[in-house]
Amino acid sequence: MDSIGKNRLRWNCRRGLLELDLVLERFLAQNGDLDKGSIACLNEMLEFPDNDLWDIVIGRSDRYEPHLDDIVALLRAA
């Protein structure tokens, strides 16, 4: 991914919930070299409302499509 794509992804990871901001910032720091499929899945996750995304990240909810399992596991580990 080029620097413009990384900056765009980092900007899309900015959320209204501080907790999500912290998790997503740490996630990007740990997983800076994501493949195109993972980036697409992350972008799909970022379309979720903040509260729904937070519930998924902390394991309170499993209401997401199965093809997102890998990115959810990475987010939960961050």
Side-chain angles (χ1 to χ4, degrees):
M1 177 181 347
D2 62 358
S3 63
I4 293 173
K6 286 182 181 182
N7 287 337
R8 185 173 293 136
L9 182 60
R10 191 171 311 280
W11 178 256
N12 288 337
C13 284
R14 294 188 53 147
R15 308 302 289 207
L17 286 174
L18 175 62
E19 295 87 349
L20 272 176
D21 278 345
L22 296 174
V23 168
L24 292 170
E25 182 178 318
R26 187 173 45 227
F27 170 81
L28 289 177
Q30 293 173 353
N31 302 286
D33 296 327
L34 295 170
D35 61 30
K36 288 182 181 182
S38 295
I39 292 170
C41 289
L42 178 58
N43 282 322
E44 186 175 339
M45 294 287 301
L46 293 174
E47 292 179 14
F48 292 0
D50 285 354
N51 290 326
D52 294 345
L53 181 55
W54 179 243
D55 287 345
I56 290 169
V57 169
I58 64 171
R60 192 181 309 164
S61 173
D62 288 328
R63 297 180 65 201
Y64 57 88
E65 297 296 323
H67 70 277
L68 300 173
D69 283 339
D70 291 338
I71 200 74
V72 170
L74 290 173
L75 283 168
R76 288 179 178 172

